[in-house]
Amino acid sequence: MRVLDVGCGDGRDSIWLAELGHAVLGYDSAAGMVDKAKTRAMEADVDPGSFLQGTEVTAADDHGAGTFDLVLSHGVIMYRQDADAFVQRHVDLVRTDGWFSLIAKNFDGLPYRAAQEQSYRDALNAL
């Protein structure tokens, strides 16, 4: 499949899908996360050029509507102001009969996850 991972973070999902043989592009708005994804990709022998800085808007500009078999947006929607427009932009990127995977984090759980990962500053900020 041709896969787009919007908000790919450190590339965990993208790399896993690439290792399964899919053609994956990962976009993240944070340059630091793109750098982490590229580092992880090199360690996993996945093309680091598959990770780019940008959003679903950038992906649409770069590739056009209806070009992906699967579009992932995991843990991003909570940070967007207009959820309806955000979802529509993702749906527009999916080809006919393709798939769109949307996951939203539970805001109440964010401090607990950060604390579990021993990122106490992040846990306090989430509270």
Side-chain angles (χ1 to χ4, degrees), residues 1-4 22-25 62-64 66-71:
M1 291 190 300
R2 187 163 186 218
V3 180
L4 173 65
H22 303 291
V24 183
L25 287 173
D62 292 349
H63 304 282
T67 56
F68 295 95
D69 300 300
L70 171 63
V71 174

Side-chain angles (χ1 to χ4, degrees), residues 40-93:
R40 286 181 55 115
M42 287 186 285
E43 292 168 355
D45 201 24
V46 170
D47 179 12
S50 300
F51 296 97
L52 305 164
Q53 187 173 0
T55 66
E56 73 282 356
V57 174
T58 313
D61 290 345
D62 292 349
H63 304 282
T67 56
F68 295 95
D69 300 300
L70 171 63
V71 174
L72 307 177
S73 182
H74 295 173
V76 180
I77 193 169
M78 311 83 56
Y79 304 106
R80 299 296 195 255
Q81 295 298 318
D82 186 348
D84 291 338
F86 176 82
V87 169
Q88 187 60 56
R89 287 191 301 269
H90 285 74
V91 169
D92 290 345
L93 289 163

Side-chain angles (χ1 to χ4, degrees), residues 1-25:
M1 291 190 300
R2 187 163 186 218
V3 180
L4 173 65
D5 186 358
V6 178
C8 66
D10 68 1
R12 187 175 311 269
D13 291 339
S14 296
I15 292 167
W16 173 67
L17 289 166
E19 289 174 331
L20 292 175
H22 303 291
V24 183
L25 287 173

